Amino acid sequence: MLKSFRRAALATVITLTSFGTASAYAEPLKVVASFSIIGDFAQNVGGDRIALTTLVGPDGDAHVYEPKPADAMAMSKADIVLVNGLHFEGFLQRLVEASATKASVVELTKGVEPIAMKEEHAHEEGESHGHHHHGDTDPHAFQSIANAKIYVKNIADAFCVADAQGCDSYKANAEAYTRKLAEAETEVKAAVASIPQDKRVIITSHDAFGYFEHAYGITFLAPEGISTEAEASAADVAALIQQVKEDKASAIFVENITNARLIEQIAAETGLKVGGTLYSDALSSNDGPASTYIDMMRNNIATIKGAIMGS
């Protein structure tokens, strides 16, 4: 009887030890995301199989971000680095070189159909501001939910290559999240459809919403180009004010990543009331209204509709 008990106890110890050893060696995939929106996508796909570091955090501006030593350290240890691409992250090449990372750098806009930046900003962006240069392509592809689905597929594919054992999990997570994205997109389209056609012209700080405009039919005017590094000149602002008067813009908004001063000046000169804050290139903090990508898209269209319709 005693021998049987000892054998059972020993078997239990061996079993527990085996499980402990297995989990100890299942290290999470070390993932670096360039900014908060991509970090949210990565977490939804990776779940608890990844250890995520996001470089440009909530309310941060990736256009003008200056990397810190801790960023280079995170990059040097990473298995995968997820970036937007299309020259969105002006700091990226310097950071890759400084960190000497061996990680795969995955551009999530692969497969996205890029759109050209608006003609009125082509000259100022084309002149290149410091190290940051977009050329003539708008990099803010994530402002279309259809494109967000492409980002998510690219992330799942990259995680599957790096961690084949977790591939089924990554694919299942990506599929579940893509369904949530589809639901959010239906809501955005319904909200836009409820706004009268002649009221769908609005003003924001910089030209970050081209893909939103292209996908959903809201026209965005902006004094600054697609990079916040390109400051608006007095002539740009005067031209925009004239355009607002001609196009009869319905509302004007500040962005979470930009200085509100310029928008407040335009609002004062056009008689438009500032309708709230839109989240363009970054999520809000956890206690804000746009702490996830889906919350951001819902919040933005609710803010736009509320300002235009007065509700």
Side-chain angles (χ1 to χ4, degrees), residues 184-194 215-216 301:
E185 185 165 44
T186 299
E187 291 172 27
V188 170
K189 288 178 176 177
V192 173
S194 70
Y216 309 120
I301 192 57

Side-chain angles (χ1 to χ4, degrees), residues 35-307:
F35 64 106
S36 57
I37 291 170
I38 288 178
D40 185 48
F41 292 155
Q43 197 64 70
N44 275 284
V45 176
D48 58 8
R49 292 191 71 93
I50 67 168
L52 177 67
T53 301
T54 301
L55 301 182
V56 186
D59 296 316
D61 185 356
H63 292 297
V64 296
Y65 183 72
E66 289 297 332
K68 303 182 289 290
D71 297 334
M73 182 67 73
M75 288 274 279
S76 71
K77 294 178 178 178
D79 299 310
I80 290 183
V81 178
L82 302 175
V83 304
N84 187 79
L86 299 179
H87 305 289
F88 180 79
E89 299 97 344
F91 62 86
L92 182 67
Q93 192 55 45
R94 288 175 298 138
L95 187 55
V96 167
E97 290 168 4
S99 67
T101 185
K102 300 288 193 293
S104 301
V105 179
V106 182
E107 292 196 0
L108 300 181
T109 46
K110 182 185 176 186
V112 164
E113 188 174 330
I115 63 174
M117 57 178 294
K118 292 189 177 179
E119 195 175 325
E120 63 265 29
H121 297 303
H123 177 65
E124 67 194 48
E125 295 290 344
E127 288 172 347
S128 180
H129 293 76
H131 55 264
H132 195 92
H133 181 62
H134 286 299
D136 59 359
T137 300
D138 184 342
H140 302 87
F142 47 83
Q143 282 294 343
S144 151
I145 297 176
N147 286 341
K149 295 174 189 174
I150 295 173
Y151 282 52
V152 168
K153 183 184 183 304
N154 287 339
I155 291 170
D157 289 347
F159 286 177
C160 281
V161 169
D163 174 22
Q165 282 186 316
C167 189
D168 288 346
S169 174
Y170 300 135
K171 285 184 174 177
N173 290 346
E175 285 170 12
Y177 183 57
T178 298
R179 285 194 293 273
K180 291 180 183 176
L181 289 172
E183 289 170 12
E185 185 165 44
T186 299
E187 291 172 27
V188 170
K189 288 178 176 177
V192 173
S194 70
I195 300 170
Q197 193 80 41
D198 63 349
K199 300 270 190 193
R200 298 180 192 174
V201 178
I202 64 174
I203 303 167
T204 56
S205 305
H206 88 295
D207 196 7
F209 294 94
Y211 290 87
F212 193 111
E213 176 175 323
H214 190 71
Y216 309 120
I218 299 277
T219 298
F220 290 80
L221 308 176
E224 295 178 349
I226 54 179
S227 169
T228 52
E229 279 189 328
E231 288 189 15
S233 67
D236 291 334
V237 175
L240 179 63
I241 289 168
Q242 185 59 36
Q243 189 178 1
V244 168
K245 290 173 179 174
E246 290 170 3
D247 289 346
K248 296 183 173 58
S250 297
I252 186 166
F253 302 91
V254 296
E255 291 174 35
N256 65 318
I257 65 162
T258 57
N259 189 322
R261 183 178 47 81
L262 184 59
I263 286 298
E264 286 164 356
Q265 176 195 337
I266 294 167
E269 295 195 31
T270 58
L272 287 172
K273 182 185 173 188
V274 176
T277 300
L278 299 183
Y279 292 82
S280 52
D281 297 3
L283 302 178
S284 70
S285 58
N286 285 336
D287 59 354
S291 61
T292 70
Y293 175 77
I294 288 175
D295 285 346
M296 179 187 86
M297 298 302 282
R298 284 178 171 147
N299 177 80
N300 282 353
I301 192 57
T303 302
I304 290 167
K305 182 181 173 181

